[in-house]
Amino acid sequence: METKFDTVFLEEVITFLDDLDEKPRDKILYNIWKSTQITDNELFKKLQGDIWEFRTLYQKTYYRLFAFWDKENEEQTLVVATHGIIKKTGKTPKNEIEHAENLRKKYFKTKKEKK
């Protein structure tokens, strides 16, 4: 089955995932893989502007990985995951969306400087 996009993790996501227990981490990674195969707003949803989130519910705990699209390479569409949180309230904290946006800007600035 062909994937819709590839996912890459920035350092903060790797640290977040490394700090989780194995079972919730595996569920998050499975949901990310699943979202590359099918369109499901329960797994991968647009938040605001250019920021999206991978969504996982595991044993009544809500995990969120923030992400954005990088479609600059015509052969490969990437979703770049910026950082993760364990969601404690109904509404996604605005500062987390802003943090994801800042990481997105930094990512594209660094990418442009490497060219």
Side-chain angles (χ1 to χ4, degrees), residues 6 8 68-73 76-80 107-108 111:
D6 293 320
V8 295
F68 60 87
W69 292 86
D70 178 352
K71 297 181 181 181
E72 290 184 348
N73 180 339
Q76 181 185 35
T77 299
L78 294 177
V79 169
V80 181
Y107 169 88
F108 283 113
K111 186 175 176 181

Side-chain angles (χ1 to χ4, degrees), residues 39-54:
T39 301
D40 183 342
N41 284 340
E42 292 303 310
L43 297 177
F44 188 54
K45 180 179 177 181
K46 185 171 185 170
L47 282 176
Q48 74 180 45
D50 294 318
I51 304 303
W52 291 63
E53 67 179 353
F54 288 106

Side-chain angles (χ1 to χ4, degrees), residues 66-111:
F66 297 88
F68 60 87
W69 292 86
D70 178 352
K71 297 181 181 181
E72 290 184 348
N73 180 339
E74 291 180 17
E75 288 102 46
Q76 181 185 35
T77 299
L78 294 177
V79 169
V80 181
T82 60
H83 69 292
I85 63 168
I86 296 174
K87 193 171 170 195
K88 299 189 188 322
T89 63
K91 193 164 183 170
T92 302
K94 186 175 176 117
N95 65 320
E96 298 295 347
I97 297 170
E98 290 169 356
H99 182 56
E101 180 60 32
N102 289 335
L103 290 171
R104 185 187 76 79
K105 289 176 183 173
K106 182 179 177 185
Y107 169 88
F108 283 113
K109 182 179 182 217
T110 302
K111 186 175 176 181

